Structures are given as C-alpha cells and as structure tokens.
C-alpha cells in the first residue's frame, strides 16, 4: 500500500455562509496593488494575507488580524485570482481558523 500525499494549492479559496455569503482565500505572497506592494496600514505586514470577497468589496486581513477594505480590488479581481471554491464554512471565524489566522 502506498501513501499519496497531495499538497494543497497555495491559494485555497473558501466560502463562508453567514448573514451574507462571502469568499476567502489565502494569499501568502506579497500582494501588488496598483504597482505597489500592499502593506498593512497598521502593522506593515505585506504577506500572508487572507483576501475576503464580501458583496462587491474586497477586504484584506493581515497575519496580525487587521482588516482593511481595499477599494482598488474588486470581486472581478478576486475571481481572477481564486480557483474553484473548495471549502464551505459556517462562519468567518471557522474559515479564519482553518486558514491559519
Ligand atoms: Zn496588520
């Protein structure tokens, strides 16, 4: 019997059912927005983001848990960068925990 280990993709999209349906994915690499590497406005982190698509807005959550709306990104951008949804969570907290935040 051989064991097959499948690495999960770096960006693993997931969706959340809460009051409003949202989508989230990890973005471990620096995120370039408008030609600049996007840094957290509070702590300066620039990688290991969670990207959240909620209604028509895209929010970024840094590893320290700071959440910021990024008006230069939208759901079309999110769709281009995420793959098919692979997980459903009952709440954002469940999703964040599973994604390591
Ligand atoms: Zn931060």
């Amino acid at each position: 019997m051989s064991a097959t280990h499948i690495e999960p993709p770096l960006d693993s999209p997931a969706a959340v059912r809460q009051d409003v349906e949202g989508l989230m994915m990890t973005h471990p690499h620096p995120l370039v927005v408008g030609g600049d590497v996007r840094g957290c406005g509070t702590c300066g982190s620039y990688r290991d983001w969670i990207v959240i698509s909620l209604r028509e807005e895209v929010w970024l959550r840094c590893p320290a848990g700071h959440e910021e709306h990024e008006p230069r990104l939208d759901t079309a951008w999110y769709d281009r960068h995420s793959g098919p949804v692979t997980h459903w969570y009952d709440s954002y907290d469940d999703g964040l925990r599973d994604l390591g935040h």
Side-chain angles (χ1 to χ4, degrees), residues 40-45 49 62-68:
C40 173
T42 304
C43 71
S45 293
W49 298 100
C62 84
H66 305 122
E67 294 177 345
E68 296 176 15

Side-chain angles (χ1 to χ4, degrees), residues 11-46:
D11 292 334
S12 84
V16 173
R17 293 183 205 277
Q18 209 174 31
D19 303 338
V20 185
E21 199 167 275
L23 298 166
M24 57 169 64
M25 64 175 169
T26 56
H27 196 292
H29 308 298
L31 185 58
V32 177
V33 181
D36 296 318
V37 175
R38 181 68 158 78
C40 173
T42 304
C43 71
S45 293
Y46 61 93

Side-chain angles (χ1 to χ4, degrees), residues 57-101:
E57 298 180 341
V58 170
W59 288 70
L60 302 175
R61 182 185 169 98
C62 84
H66 305 122
E67 294 177 345
E68 296 176 15
H69 176 216
E70 175 48 78
R72 290 172 293 182
L73 302 180
D74 57 18
T75 52
W77 176 92
Y78 184 95
D79 290 342
R80 281 200 305 276
H81 287 78
S82 71
V85 171
T86 55
H87 305 287
W88 284 93
Y89 299 110
D90 289 332
S91 73
Y92 278 111
D93 287 344
D94 288 346
L96 292 172
R97 202 160 38 240
D98 196 54
L99 295 177
H101 277 228

